[in-house]
Amino acid sequence: MVTGVEAPLAVTRVGVVGLGLIGGSVARTLVAAGVDVVATDPDGATRAQAWDAGVRTVGSAAEVLVERPDVLVLAPPLAALPAVLAELAAELPRLVADGGPLPVLTDVGSVKAPVRAAARVAGLEDRYVGAHPMAGTEESGFAASRDDLLPGCTWAVTVAPTTAAGDLLRVLALIAGPLRGVARVVEDATHDAAVALVSHVPHVLATELLNLTTAAPARALALGLAAGSFRDGTRVARTDPRRTQAMVAGNADAVVGALRDATRHLDALADALEGGDDAAVTAFFDAADPVRAALAEAAAGDASPRTETVALGEPGWRERLVSLGAAGAVVARTGRDAITLAVPPPSPK
Amino acid sequence: MVTGVEAPLAVTRVGVVGLGLIGGSVARTLVAAGVDVVATDPDGATRAQAWDAGVRTVGSAAEVLVERPDVLVLAPPLAALPAVLAELAAELPRLVADGGPLPVLTDVGSVKAPVRAAARVAGLEDRYVGAHPMAGTEESGFAASRDDLLPGCTWAVTVAPTTAAGDLLRVLALIAGPLRGVARVVEDATHDAAVALVSHVPHVLATELLNLTTAAPARALALGLAAGSFRDGTRVARTDPRRTQAMVAGNADAVVGALRDATRHLDALADALEGGDDAAVTAFFDAADPVRAALAEAAAGDASPRTETVALGEPGWRERLVSLGAAGAVVARTGRDAITLAVPPPSPK
């Protein structure tokens, strides 16, 4: 894993809108790193809690914006995002009229295409760079936030044809700098498909394991016999089903595609078990061998990845970045006009 | 959880046939508890390893039998079981002719109906009591066996109309005594359906999560973004797929039934997500609420279960035992002619 990332662009002031688990952890981590943070949350009690924890709070998103942070991190619930974006869009012309640099907008949401669409509706897409830290989601609220949740965590950073190189560099400087994360630059759709597979569908299947057990005639016995595979397989479904549902519904297209694949594979396995077709049963259990090999390799440590530098002035830089990102590359260094990536060896077929 | 179990029936000599992870752990635990163990394994190197670990070994299952253990624990792979049973059945008439008590047969297999069927074929069903410890299955072989794997673990103990009360009591005395386990008495079919839900189907869904990721275009990115839900949800599928396959194929009927339910539920969820049917999506995520409540209650500690005693001389004792077992009861005490169970309060609807 790549850690010590050079990032010559300084991020000295950061705005945070929404002080839940992730927004609160962003604010705490930055305050601990000595960054000037200005934050808000619609809930007064949450603002008071944050203030007591050393986070400077103000009364609204517009007030955060007028402090001209280098980066403004949007961390409200997905449903509240359009209203926040509208508030920022209404305030922005005053900052433009006054002159000077404008904040880059980023976020922490677990799906990226809907957030970019909301930014587009508000007329703010050209200032927006998507971001999603792969961090715990089982607790919630500022009270659960910590300054050690995000350091070391992997972030997906998403770009589109409208993304300015300077804005991307500034968000990467924030993530790789005071937030001490590892960044992977990709497109929204690539991100959303990937998290459907490694987060949203696992949550659905964990829920389904609970559902099957709920309907079982000998439910109490089944739970009494539950082994490690059940405990591990259902852990993420035991907490707030509303939060899981919101995550899944927010990425419905990608989740539905994966679920259709899953039901096709599982029905084929059931057919093979019923029909005594051992070769087809074996094929089901062996299909994952390339991923088993890749996971074993990752656990054994990276096999000295090669690095590749993308110059941000050249045509096609975004396409090159996201193509390397989809292949597993992580940001190793950012310069004033280039990004160097660590590119893993090709994984087994 | 009920622990200190009184069991007046002493088990002084135990036979073990098959010294893999579970058979080896049974032997080691009994030796550590001062029980006289006589064991065998078809592999000479394994017998030598066991001997070095303090387990007295002999050359064959027949030689174990002629030592007249109180209980003989069958722990070979499922596929090898019919041959072992045939060997024992061939030797048994000599013991009968010599007079004296005959060993009770039990086993440790993860499915119960096929083991009883094999015992029936060998003419040994009337001496057989099924048993299955819910213990780890990720390692294998005598080298992985330990004397601390089984203590504290839950065992399903299965009975049928042919089961003699004295044989059941002896197996319970072994499990609750020197093996220091917690026993739940049920029927084979109840057990097999329950472990399909809490062990075999979780293994299948974990494998399917890996399969979906294997086929993903941005597989390297997906694995790079993999969060806790993916790591937990796939853990049991990362190890030997042949072992998982054997377990699933050995319980095919129950697994197929659960998989058909799962694909129906998952397709309905996909339909609801596609059609924007929020009520149906909510219903999917809420269906497990009773199990969530039961798990939370179990985590908070048993709400002082009532006890119930089943007198083994009375008509219908087996039916009463397995009905309480299916409702979650565990064996609290065994007497010379009665079993006292701790019965949990009814779980939420």
Side-chain angles (χ1 to χ4, degrees), chain B residues 194-259:
Chain B
V195 294
L197 293 180
V198 298
S199 174
H200 303 155
V201 171
H203 277 81
V204 168
L205 297 192
T207 303
E208 175 58 16
L209 285 177
L210 290 186
N211 290 352
L212 287 172
T213 308
T214 302
R219 185 170 86 193
L221 170 75
L223 293 177
L225 295 181
S229 58
F230 184 79
R231 283 194 299 273
D232 285 0
T234 60
R235 184 182 59 83
V236 297
R238 297 187 186 191
T239 50
D240 187 5
R242 287 291 76 69
R243 176 200 298 265
T244 308
Q245 177 174 352
M247 225 167 53
V248 165
N251 197 15
D253 286 354
V255 171
V256 166
L259 288 181

Side-chain angles (χ1 to χ4, degrees), chain A residues 23 60 106 109-110 116 127 205 219 221 223 228 293 297 302 315 339:
Chain A
S60 70
T106 187
S110 65
R116 185 175 304 277
R127 310 216 55 73
L205 296 192
R219 184 170 88 197
L221 170 74
L223 294 177
E297 206 170 87
D302 282 354
I339 295 176

Side-chain angles (χ1 to χ4, degrees), chain B residues 76-263:
Chain B
L78 188 57
L81 200 69
V84 171
L85 287 162
E87 184 183 347
L88 296 174
E91 193 66 27
L92 198 66
R94 217 175 313 175
L95 274 74
V96 172
D98 290 349
L102 296 173
V104 181
L105 298 180
T106 187
D107 75 315
V108 296
S110 66
V111 286
K112 299 271 58 81
V115 176
R116 185 177 303 279
R120 188 178 308 126
V121 167
L124 296 172
E125 190 190 2
D126 60 347
R127 310 217 54 74
Y128 170 74
V129 176
H132 174 208
M134 304 305 298
T137 58
E138 278 171 88
E139 295 174 294
S140 63
F142 184 81
S145 69
R146 307 195 314 257
D147 64 10
D148 63 354
L149 179 70
L150 298 172
C153 123
T154 290
W155 291 66
V157 175
T158 63
V159 297
T162 52
T163 307
D167 292 349
L168 171 61
L169 286 171
R170 211 169 272 282
V171 169
L172 290 176
L174 174 67
I175 291 170
L179 291 174
R180 287 149 58 204
V182 174
R184 295 167 181 272
V185 181
V186 289
E187 291 181 294
D188 296 321
T190 311
H191 167 274
D192 292 352
V195 294
L197 293 180
V198 298
S199 174
H200 303 155
V201 171
H203 277 81
V204 168
L205 297 192
T207 303
E208 175 58 16
L209 285 177
L210 290 186
N211 290 352
L212 287 172
T213 308
T214 302
R219 185 170 86 193
L221 170 75
L223 293 177
L225 295 181
S229 58
F230 184 79
R231 283 194 299 273
D232 285 0
T234 60
R235 184 182 59 83
V236 297
R238 297 187 186 191
T239 50
D240 187 5
R242 287 291 76 69
R243 176 200 298 265
T244 308
Q245 177 174 352
M247 225 167 53
V248 165
N251 197 15
D253 286 354
V255 171
V256 166
L259 288 181
R260 299 296 189 197
D261 288 344
T263 59

Side-chain angles (χ1 to χ4, degrees), chain A residues 132 134-135 154-156 184 186 190-191 194-195 197-242 244-245 248-249 252 255-271 273-274 278 281-292 294-295 325-328 344 347-349, chain B residues 132 134-135 154-156 184 186 190-191 194-195 197-242 244-245 248-249 252 255-271 273-274 278 281-292 294-295 325-328 344 347-349:
Chain A
H132 174 209
M134 304 305 298
T154 289
W155 291 66
R184 295 167 180 271
V186 289
T190 311
H191 167 275
V195 295
L197 294 180
V198 298
S199 173
H200 304 154
V201 171
H203 277 82
V204 168
L205 296 192
T207 303
E208 176 57 16
L209 285 176
L210 290 186
N211 290 353
L212 288 172
T213 308
T214 302
R219 184 170 88 197
L221 170 74
L223 294 177
L225 295 181
S229 58
F230 184 79
R231 283 194 299 273
D232 285 1
T234 61
R235 184 182 58 83
V236 297
R238 296 187 186 192
T239 50
D240 186 5
R242 287 291 77 68
T244 308
Q245 176 174 353
V248 165
V255 171
V256 166
L259 288 180
R260 298 297 190 200
D261 287 344
T263 59
R264 200 176 64 247
H265 298 162
L266 295 173
D267 271 327
L269 173 64
D271 291 346
L273 286 167
E274 274 182 339
D278 290 347
V281 175
T282 299
F284 175 86
F285 284 100
D286 283 355
D289 278 347
V291 157
R292 287 191 189 98
L295 289 167
S347 69
K349 280 297 173 296
Chain B
H132 174 208
M134 304 305 298
T154 290
W155 291 66
R184 295 167 181 272
V186 289
T190 311
H191 167 274
V195 294
L197 293 180
V198 298
S199 174
H200 303 155
V201 171
H203 277 81
V204 168
L205 297 192
T207 303
E208 175 58 16
L209 285 177
L210 290 186
N211 290 352
L212 287 172
T213 308
T214 302
R219 185 170 86 193
L221 170 75
L223 293 177
L225 295 181
S229 58
F230 184 79
R231 283 194 299 273
D232 285 0
T234 60
R235 184 182 59 83
V236 297
R238 297 187 186 191
T239 50
D240 187 5
R242 287 291 76 69
T244 308
Q245 177 174 352
V248 165
V255 171
V256 166
L259 288 181
R260 299 296 189 197
D261 288 344
T263 59
R264 199 176 65 247
H265 297 162
L266 295 173
D267 271 326
L269 173 63
D271 291 345
L273 286 167
E274 273 182 339
D278 290 347
V281 175
T282 299
F284 175 86
F285 285 100
D286 283 355
D289 277 347
V291 157
R292 285 190 191 98
L295 289 167
S347 69
K349 281 295 174 298

